[in-house]
PDB file of all heavy atoms in Angstrom:
ATOM      1  N   PHE A 670      29.946 -11.096  -3.702  1.00  0.00           N
ATOM      2  CA  PHE A 670      30.950 -10.468  -3.047  1.00  0.00           C
ATOM      3  C   PHE A 670      30.432  -9.109  -2.587  1.00  0.00           C
ATOM      4  O   PHE A 670      30.668  -8.659  -1.509  1.00  0.00           O
ATOM      5  CB  PHE A 670      32.034 -10.138  -3.967  1.00  0.00           C
ATOM      6  CG  PHE A 670      33.237  -9.270  -3.520  1.00  0.00           C
ATOM      7  CD1 PHE A 670      34.342  -9.956  -2.792  1.00  0.00           C
ATOM      8  CD2 PHE A 670      33.168  -7.928  -3.586  1.00  0.00           C
ATOM      9  CE1 PHE A 670      35.252  -9.103  -2.245  1.00  0.00           C
ATOM     10  CE2 PHE A 670      34.204  -7.086  -3.014  1.00  0.00           C
ATOM     11  CZ  PHE A 670      35.200  -7.754  -2.353  1.00  0.00           C
ATOM     12  N   TYR A 704      37.701 -13.568  -0.844  1.00  0.00           N
ATOM     13  CA  TYR A 704      38.100 -12.246  -1.100  1.00  0.00           C
ATOM     14  C   TYR A 704      37.355 -11.270   0.026  1.00  0.00           C
ATOM     15  O   TYR A 704      37.950 -10.292   0.290  1.00  0.00           O
ATOM     16  CB  TYR A 704      37.903 -11.728  -2.470  1.00  0.00           C
ATOM     17  CG  TYR A 704      38.965 -12.266  -3.462  1.00  0.00           C
ATOM     18  CD1 TYR A 704      38.612 -12.907  -4.648  1.00  0.00           C
ATOM     19  CD2 TYR A 704      40.404 -12.109  -3.121  1.00  0.00           C
ATOM     20  CE1 TYR A 704      39.530 -13.388  -5.542  1.00  0.00           C
ATOM     21  CE2 TYR A 704      41.395 -12.625  -4.056  1.00  0.00           C
ATOM     22  CZ  TYR A 704      40.913 -13.216  -5.177  1.00  0.00           C
ATOM     23  OH  TYR A 704      41.845 -13.757  -6.065  1.00  0.00           O
ATOM     24  N   VAL A 705      36.154 -11.566   0.371  1.00  0.00           N
ATOM     25  CA  VAL A 705      35.592 -10.796   1.432  1.00  0.00           C
ATOM     26  C   VAL A 705      36.245 -10.990   2.769  1.00  0.00           C
ATOM     27  O   VAL A 705      36.440 -10.112   3.462  1.00  0.00           O
ATOM     28  CB  VAL A 705      34.046 -11.219   1.601  1.00  0.00           C
ATOM     29  CG1 VAL A 705      33.406 -10.542   2.776  1.00  0.00           C
ATOM     30  CG2 VAL A 705      33.155 -10.931   0.322  1.00  0.00           C
ATOM     31  N   GLU A 707      39.257 -11.139   3.091  1.00  0.00           N
ATOM     32  CA  GLU A 707      40.499 -10.230   3.055  1.00  0.00           C
ATOM     33  C   GLU A 707      40.053  -8.757   2.795  1.00  0.00           C
ATOM     34  O   GLU A 707      40.989  -7.946   2.791  1.00  0.00           O
ATOM     35  CB  GLU A 707      41.433 -10.723   1.858  1.00  0.00           C
ATOM     36  CG  GLU A 707      41.886 -12.076   1.991  1.00  0.00           C
ATOM     37  CD  GLU A 707      42.606 -12.650   0.843  1.00  0.00           C
ATOM     38  OE1 GLU A 707      42.824 -11.770  -0.127  1.00  0.00           O
ATOM     39  OE2 GLU A 707      42.789 -13.938   0.601  1.00  0.00           O
ATOM     40  N   HIS A 708      38.793  -8.564   2.570  1.00  0.00           N
ATOM     41  CA  HIS A 708      38.318  -7.156   2.135  1.00  0.00           C
ATOM     42  C   HIS A 708      39.112  -6.700   0.971  1.00  0.00           C
ATOM     43  O   HIS A 708      39.509  -5.540   0.737  1.00  0.00           O
ATOM     44  CB  HIS A 708      38.529  -6.202   3.236  1.00  0.00           C
ATOM     45  CG  HIS A 708      37.706  -6.509   4.495  1.00  0.00           C
ATOM     46  ND1 HIS A 708      36.404  -6.469   4.619  1.00  0.00           N
ATOM     47  CD2 HIS A 708      38.119  -6.844   5.746  1.00  0.00           C
ATOM     48  CE1 HIS A 708      35.951  -6.823   5.750  1.00  0.00           C
ATOM     49  NE2 HIS A 708      37.041  -6.985   6.568  1.00  0.00           N
ATOM     50  N   ASN A 709      39.336  -7.610  -0.082  1.00  0.00           N
ATOM     51  CA  ASN A 709      40.212  -7.418  -1.183  1.00  0.00           C
ATOM     52  C   ASN A 709      39.310  -7.235  -2.499  1.00  0.00           C
ATOM     53  O   ASN A 709      39.121  -8.226  -3.198  1.00  0.00           O
ATOM     54  CB  ASN A 709      41.273  -8.528  -1.361  1.00  0.00           C
ATOM     55  CG  ASN A 709      42.283  -8.068  -2.312  1.00  0.00           C
ATOM     56  OD1 ASN A 709      42.170  -7.306  -3.111  1.00  0.00           O
ATOM     57  ND2 ASN A 709      43.453  -8.844  -2.092  1.00  0.00           N
ATOM     58  N   TYR A 710      38.738  -6.032  -2.662  1.00  0.00           N
ATOM     59  CA  TYR A 710      37.885  -5.839  -3.811  1.00  0.00           C
ATOM     60  C   TYR A 710      38.733  -5.978  -5.202  1.00  0.00           C
ATOM     61  O   TYR A 710      38.212  -6.638  -6.044  1.00  0.00           O
ATOM     62  CB  TYR A 710      37.210  -4.512  -3.782  1.00  0.00           C
ATOM     63  CG  TYR A 710      36.538  -4.182  -5.025  1.00  0.00           C
ATOM     64  CD1 TYR A 710      35.386  -4.645  -5.383  1.00  0.00           C
ATOM     65  CD2 TYR A 710      37.268  -3.262  -6.007  1.00  0.00           C
ATOM     66  CE1 TYR A 710      34.761  -4.448  -6.651  1.00  0.00           C
ATOM     67  CE2 TYR A 710      36.530  -3.018  -7.183  1.00  0.00           C
ATOM     68  CZ  TYR A 710      35.353  -3.572  -7.501  1.00  0.00           C
ATOM     69  OH  TYR A 710      34.788  -3.298  -8.779  1.00  0.00           O
ATOM     70  N   LYS A 711      39.805  -5.326  -5.281  1.00  0.00           N
ATOM     71  CA  LYS A 711      40.564  -5.230  -6.416  1.00  0.00           C
ATOM     72  C   LYS A 711      41.001  -6.699  -6.947  1.00  0.00           C
ATOM     73  O   LYS A 711      40.769  -6.983  -8.168  1.00  0.00           O
ATOM     74  CB  LYS A 711      41.855  -4.490  -6.246  1.00  0.00           C
ATOM     75  CG  LYS A 711      41.744  -3.020  -6.537  1.00  0.00           C
ATOM     76  CD  LYS A 711      43.110  -2.293  -6.565  1.00  0.00           C
ATOM     77  CE  LYS A 711      42.904  -0.921  -7.034  1.00  0.00           C
ATOM     78  NZ  LYS A 711      44.218  -0.117  -7.128  1.00  0.00           N
ATOM     79  N   SER A 712      41.492  -7.530  -5.992  1.00  0.00           N
ATOM     80  CA  SER A 712      41.873  -8.873  -6.501  1.00  0.00           C
ATOM     81  C   SER A 712      40.653  -9.709  -7.001  1.00  0.00           C
ATOM     82  O   SER A 712      40.577 -10.413  -7.963  1.00  0.00           O
ATOM     83  CB  SER A 712      42.440  -9.659  -5.346  1.00  0.00           C
ATOM     84  OG  SER A 712      43.799  -9.082  -4.965  1.00  0.00           O
ATOM     85  N   PHE A 713      39.420  -9.573  -6.181  1.00  0.00           N
ATOM     86  CA  PHE A 713      38.218 -10.154  -6.727  1.00  0.00           C
ATOM     87  C   PHE A 713      37.859  -9.633  -8.106  1.00  0.00           C
ATOM     88  O   PHE A 713      37.475 -10.443  -9.006  1.00  0.00           O
ATOM     89  CB  PHE A 713      37.014  -9.938  -5.727  1.00  0.00           C
ATOM     90  CG  PHE A 713      35.772 -10.139  -6.388  1.00  0.00           C
ATOM     91  CD1 PHE A 713      35.291 -11.460  -6.409  1.00  0.00           C
ATOM     92  CD2 PHE A 713      34.952  -9.123  -6.882  1.00  0.00           C
ATOM     93  CE1 PHE A 713      34.082 -11.768  -7.159  1.00  0.00           C
ATOM     94  CE2 PHE A 713      33.746  -9.401  -7.459  1.00  0.00           C
ATOM     95  CZ  PHE A 713      33.230 -10.846  -7.652  1.00  0.00           C
ATOM     96  N   ALA A 714      37.929  -8.331  -8.333  1.00  0.00           N
ATOM     97  CA  ALA A 714      37.439  -7.666  -9.565  1.00  0.00           C
ATOM     98  C   ALA A 714      38.213  -8.225 -10.607  1.00  0.00           C
ATOM     99  O   ALA A 714      37.692  -8.535 -11.767  1.00  0.00           O
ATOM    100  CB  ALA A 714      37.489  -6.178  -9.465  1.00  0.00           C
TER     101      ALA A 714
END
Side-chain angles (χ1 to χ4, degrees):
F670 179 88
Y704 282 127
V705 173
E707 303 166 12
H708 301 294
N709 193 339
Y710 170 77
K711 271 192 174 181
S712 294
F713 164 76

